[in-house]
Amino acid sequence: MTVEHHLQASGDGQGPAAGPAGSDGKGIASLSATDTLATWPDELAATLARARIEVDLDVLAANLAAVRRFLRPGTRLLAVVKGDGYGVGAEMAARTFAAAGADALGTATLESALRLRRSGITAPILVFQPPEPPLLDFWLREGLQATVHDAATLHALSQRAVALGVGRPLAVHLEVDMGLGRGGLAPGQVAPLVAGAASLPGVRIEGLYTHLPTAARPRLALRLLDRFLRLVRDLEERGLRPPLVHCAESHLLVLAPYAQLDMVRVGNLLYGYAPRAARRAGLAVRPPSRLVVRVWAVHRAGDMTPGYRGGWARPGTPVAVLPVGLADGLRPAREARHWGDRMVILGRRLLGALGARQVLGASTAPPGPRVRAGHREVPLRGEFMMNHCLFDATGLPLAPGQEVELLVSRLTAPAHLPVVYLRGGRPVAVAWPQRQVLECVAAGTATAGPGGMAGGDAPAAAEAPAGAGDGQELRPVTGAASPGAGAASPEAALAPPVAGGPAHPDEETMG
Ligand SMILES: *Cc1c(COP(=O)(O)O)cnc(C)c1O
């Protein structure tokens, strides 16, 4: 079955001519992809029938080019793909940025870097998480650039590099904490560490960096930047300056172009989140993704105001039901937890009750998600439940089966939703974050009893880096290994399947 086929099946049921209700009218269902997935899991097809995230890879590449144009000549660009590529999927984001000329990639965690390596990405990767003793070998075996916060780790890395006989010295970046408090060397510790590292085999100090709270506290960030630059000058004078000094992220590279130094580490801008200063400076980036959801039902509100909370639709209001919710990482814009928020909401209700809505106009539109169908767009008034979203569809002529676009400020946790990647307007790949359950099996044991640590792969991996077995083995619980999940052991097919548990523990109470 083709991608096109599946997406049409998930469309409005009127065939490609009708198209989805996308903003540009150029929806995915009107495309004629011929790509065929080798194995198309039924669950993926089922998920695509309710919602998908579309990510335009051309936009990601264009954003990188826009940032590149803004950089001073010679500045390197490290593309940050942490947080699963800011929600668009780290693997395809990394591939796209590497192909578009990023000099390096950055991940927050080791596991994210390992996943990129497993998917065949060979670009330099700087891991922001510092290595800890049981995990050191991963950096060395996979050639991951290490962030180091102390002398002990540097010495341990050097020892392991020698023991493993790693050919090229491991590239290390020292992180200095200028006040953010997330970890790092104190400024005074840098010079002695750099000086001492010169004689350590197997490691090479490639970089020195810091991370500043620019977005939230720009003036403080600029003061800290000054202190960092003073440290760099001091190192320079003593002949201890590492080759790559970097500190600027998306905000700082715009706010203070002189902070671009040897390299910038860019996340937000690449994903279309531009600080106002960027737009003023002519640095234009666009959001690459959109969340497309198929309407399940539309009905008129009865006498009881719909929803758990209620209070957002009057009798007779058209109410649309969407099959996405909290479980998909969607959150209400803002929760009225503080009395200030409550006052604002109360004020709006009062004014609404007095018929003042028209007078107030668009400026009082509640902050938060919006919903778009065709060329119409309204604020999303309603509520998210575990697996549902109910909203007031006034102003949107919706029918069941139609597709709408949910405009949410950030897609940070699209945990269950498939991502459809487009290039040249055509689907080229689908990512589907599947949670595979692995059973812990002691060496020589036929099957482990139920209730083992299924899914707890981190501790076992920590003890046995890169597959060095020490008596514990993890293997898929079910015989049907997902495509790309690695080769299942032959016995895995014989392992008893897990009994079907509840889809979500909270479903009963919250859904
Ligand atoms: C997240 C992060 C960045 C990127 O920040 P953006 O604001 O998204 O550009 C850079 N460096 C480090 C260490 C980070 O954690």
Side-chain angles (χ1 to χ4, degrees):
M1 220 179 206
T2 65
V3 174
E4 179 201 17
H5 204 112
H6 271 282
L7 296 175
Q8 273 177 23
S10 72
D12 56 14
Q14 294 166 44
S23 53
D24 47 5
K26 184 177 69 104
I28 196 160
S30 63
L31 303 168
S32 58
T34 50
D35 316 63
T36 303
L37 294 189
T39 316
W40 196 296
D42 292 344
E43 307 92 297
L44 172 55
T47 316
L48 276 174
R50 64 181 179 94
R52 65 178 180 271
I53 293 161
E54 281 180 21
V55 173
D56 191 332
L57 299 175
D58 296 331
V59 172
L60 288 179
N63 287 348
L64 186 122
V67 174
R68 176 72 85 190
R69 281 195 298 276
F70 190 80
L71 297 181
R72 307 202 295 188
T75 309
R76 294 198 201 189
L77 197 166
L78 177 147
V80 179
V81 296
K82 69 183 182 191
D84 200 21
Y86 290 58
V88 307
E91 181 184 333
M92 288 303 284
R95 279 184 194 294
T96 305
F97 294 143
D103 299 289
L105 302 167
T107 67
T109 60
L110 172 63
E111 67 264 27
S112 175
L114 291 176
R115 229 170 268 140
L116 296 182
R117 283 284 185 261
R118 293 283 171 272
S119 76
I121 290 170
T122 55
I125 300 175
L126 172 62
V127 184
F128 302 147
Q129 166 193 0
E132 290 170 82
L135 302 173
L136 297 178
D137 289 8
F138 283 118
W139 269 265
L140 295 156
R141 286 176 206 248
E142 303 296 338
L144 301 170
Q145 303 193 352
T147 292
V148 163
H149 286 178
D150 55 61
T153 303
L154 192 64
H155 284 90
L157 279 172
S158 168
Q159 271 168 15
R160 288 304 300 159
V162 172
L164 293 174
V166 173
R168 261 195 300 167
L170 182 78
V172 167
H173 294 241
L174 302 178
E175 183 177 16
V176 53
D177 184 357
M178 301 306 299
L180 185 66
R182 214 163 66 174
L185 294 153
Q189 296 175 307
V190 178
L193 195 52
V194 176
S199 58
L200 285 180
V203 291
R204 169 175 56 89
I205 305 290
E206 163 140 318
L208 171 73
Y209 77 95
T210 191
H211 190 57
L212 304 172
T214 322
R217 293 189 278 175
R219 272 195 294 184
L220 171 65
L222 289 178
R223 279 206 307 276
L224 299 173
L225 170 65
D226 276 349
R227 261 183 242 169
F228 180 68
L229 294 177
R230 234 177 292 147
L231 167 68
V232 174
R233 265 199 306 277
D234 177 52
L235 292 170
E236 227 153 31
E237 281 161 15
R238 298 158 73 171
L240 295 172
R241 184 197 196 277
L244 287 183
V245 175
H246 45 112
C247 63
E249 25 57 45
S250 292
H251 283 74
L252 192 57
L253 78 87
V254 174
L255 183 67
Y258 63 90
Q260 293 174 9
L261 305 177
D262 302 311
M263 183 164 83
V264 292
R265 305 182 307 268
V266 196
N268 274 301
L269 279 172
L270 297 180
Y271 304 95
Y273 303 114
R276 209 174 302 144
R279 272 165 294 174
R280 273 203 301 268
L283 172 47
V285 291
R286 283 182 295 148
S289 58
R290 51 188 216 128
L291 170 57
V292 183
V293 184
R294 187 165 163 261
V295 176
W296 256 359
V298 185
H299 58 81
R300 296 224 166 249
D303 289 338
M304 177 191 141
T305 166
Y308 287 141
R309 283 193 291 109
W312 46 266
R314 296 181 189 173
T317 305
V319 172
V321 184
L322 300 181
V324 290
L326 303 175
D328 299 300
L330 300 170
R331 290 279 176 280
R334 188 170 169 183
E335 296 191 38
R337 270 198 223 116
H338 307 293
W339 68 268
D341 289 347
R342 292 216 181 96
M343 293 303 287
V344 169
I345 287 166
L346 188 67
R348 280 206 188 103
R349 288 224 180 106
L350 272 172
L351 291 166
L354 295 172
R357 198 160 286 156
Q358 264 72 10
V359 183
L360 292 167
S363 62
T364 59
R370 301 173 69 78
V371 56
R372 183 188 287 167
H375 295 285
R376 297 204 195 177
E377 192 183 305
V378 297
L380 191 143
R381 284 170 34 83
E383 56 186 273
F384 285 108
M385 302 172 176
M386 185 57 79
N387 290 101
H388 296 82
C389 168
L390 266 55
F391 71 96
D392 177 347
T394 304
L396 294 180
L398 291 182
Q402 196 177 331
E403 289 183 335
V404 295
E405 192 181 338
L406 269 190
L407 299 126
V408 289
S409 59
R410 274 191 191 249
L411 291 175
T412 44
H416 304 170
L417 298 182
V419 184
V420 176
Y421 295 98
L422 311 180
R423 199 179 290 122
R426 289 162 178 270
V428 292
V430 180
W432 185 51
Q434 187 183 24
R435 292 223 175 93
Q436 196 187 3
V437 178
L438 301 177
E439 185 183 25
C440 299
V441 184
T445 313
T447 51
M453 273 184 51
D457 52 346
E463 287 159 24
D470 68 346
Q472 277 277 320
E473 188 190 329
L474 292 171
R475 60 190 193 191
V477 172
T478 53
S482 66
S489 61
E491 311 94 289
L494 304 173
V498 233
H504 196 291
D506 289 330
E507 191 123 34
E508 295 300 316
T509 47
M510 295 181 67

